[in-house]
Amino acid sequence: MDNFFMYKKAVRAMDEINRVMEGKGHTVHQIMTAILAGGHILIEDIPGVGKTTLALAFSKVLGLDYQRIQFTPDIMPTDIAGFSIYHQGSEEFEFKEGAAMTNLLLADEINRTSPKTQSALLEAMEEGQITVDGITRDLPDPYIVIATQNPFGSIGTHSLPESQLDRFMIRTSLGYPDMEREIKMLAQGSVDMTTSGIKEQISVEELRKAREEAARLFVHEDILRYIVEIANETRRSRDLELGISPRGTIALLSMAKANAYLEGRDYVIPQDVKDVFFETIEHRVIRSKEAKVQRKTKEEILKAILYKIPLPKGNQKG
């Protein structure tokens, strides 16, 4: 890693966040990996487990501008993208920025708003820009969306369409706290640990540099073949109605690179692919009717596929 200078700072950033999010080191690692891979994060969880604190902690540690928008049925696309207002005196239109114009956007409970409003994030997430009244504006770089949603089946929710789910690099969950952490919450009378003591560990420019370094990691052709074989198996599987899209295979490779980067390696090994596989892929596939009848879970189906594809041999460095 002699030519990669930022990965130690990225590791220190995770350590700083873990001071607040005690017991959630795995989730913090997943999210940092997705950020380094240039992706967006979907957190599916019940209310009140510290999702807002987590997003705020990342914004502070990474030196990012931060906006939060609470999605409700009355939120409009203009609240996200912005709008133009006409001033009669100057006879000119002035653009009023929406919540999307930031480095890190927390889209809280995204599935409580209408599909029309949900779709306002599509252009921003895919292309890093927004278009209002025919004028396209670039969003800040980096641009990261951390969206949360309530579990499916909750009252008043609208499931995200497959096209939008596919734009999230990973889907993860915080889950319930362990006993010791929950005792601390009771003692302080709050779910959220304070982020006031968190210090910036990596600047915006350094984060861009870290992303560039992670993207340059060496990947042996056997690893690329391994990823494509996994993708093809999901597309052939009788248990899946929808397999991994090409965007999904690119996401899996990007996540594997970022995972290797955080491990201090300048090359990818098969274990990197396995380490990020479920969080990167599970939300991109749909079970077949037969699998639903047989009550097979996505995790069971994907584990069987991963087990079926033989691992590449060698250390994958040359």
Side-chain angles (χ1 to χ4, degrees), residues 195-232:
T195 60
S196 58
I198 284 186
K199 296 180 180 179
E200 180 180 317
Q201 298 295 320
I202 185 169
S203 68
V204 171
E205 185 57 40
E206 289 171 334
L207 177 57
R208 293 194 198 105
K209 180 68 175 176
R211 283 181 161 188
E212 292 170 2
E213 290 179 351
R216 293 204 314 268
L217 262 62
F218 174 77
V219 185
H220 195 279
E221 184 180 348
D222 288 348
I223 296 285
L224 301 178
R225 190 175 302 277
Y226 177 57
I227 291 173
V228 174
E229 284 177 350
I230 292 172
N232 284 335

Side-chain angles (χ1 to χ4, degrees), residues 264-275:
R265 278 182 277 105
D266 58 2
Y267 59 96
V268 175
I269 62 175
Q271 189 61 44
D272 292 315
V273 179
K274 294 179 71 174
D275 284 347

Side-chain angles (χ1 to χ4, degrees), residues 130-146:
I130 54 172
T131 302
V132 178
D133 296 331
I135 300 175
T136 299
R137 294 174 172 85
D138 291 332
L139 292 168
D141 179 29
Y143 179 68
I144 303 158
V145 174
I146 298 181

Side-chain angles (χ1 to χ4, degrees), residues 251-271:
L252 186 56
L253 175 60
S254 298
M255 284 288 291
K257 285 182 177 182
N259 190 75
Y261 183 79
L262 288 175
E263 294 294 326
R265 278 182 277 105
D266 58 2
Y267 59 96
V268 175
I269 62 175
Q271 189 61 44

Side-chain angles (χ1 to χ4, degrees), residues 4-129:
F4 299 90
F5 306 104
M6 295 300 161
Y7 86 96
K8 289 184 178 179
K9 284 200 168 188
V11 172
R12 285 201 297 270
M14 289 192 297
D15 292 340
E16 185 76 0
I17 294 170
N18 284 327
R19 290 200 304 108
V20 174
M21 305 302 298
E22 295 178 22
K24 301 300 177 184
H26 180 62
T27 303
V28 170
H29 189 280
Q30 288 176 339
I31 293 175
M32 179 61 80
T33 305
I35 289 174
L36 289 175
H40 307 288
I41 299 97
L42 179 62
I43 303 175
E44 184 177 314
D45 241 322
I46 60 171
V49 292
K51 300 184 293 292
T52 303
T53 301
L54 179 62
L56 184 57
F58 267 99
S59 70
K60 286 190 172 185
V61 166
L62 303 179
L64 302 172
D65 290 332
Y66 168 83
Q67 291 276 2
R68 176 190 179 190
I69 182 166
Q70 180 69 47
F71 281 95
T72 56
D74 60 343
I75 291 292
M76 300 296 291
T78 52
D79 294 315
I80 299 170
F83 58 93
S84 297
I85 185 170
Y86 181 71
H87 289 282
Q88 192 169 7
S90 62
E91 298 184 348
E92 292 180 349
F93 284 93
E94 180 185 357
F95 177 67
K96 297 292 186 181
E97 294 181 353
M101 194 63 71
T102 188
N103 287 126
L104 193 156
L105 174 66
L106 174 60
D108 217 354
E109 297 186 296
I110 190 173
N111 60 339
R112 286 208 176 276
T113 195
S114 68
K116 181 179 180 180
T117 302
Q118 291 172 359
S119 66
L121 275 174
L122 285 174
E123 182 185 12
M125 293 172 65
E126 183 68 14
E127 301 176 35
Q129 63 184 32

Side-chain angles (χ1 to χ4, degrees), residues 281-293:
I281 298 304
E282 190 174 13
H283 63 289
R284 303 174 191 272
V285 298
I286 298 177
R287 290 180 299 162
S288 65
K289 292 180 180 178
E290 183 178 345
K292 291 177 182 177
V293 169

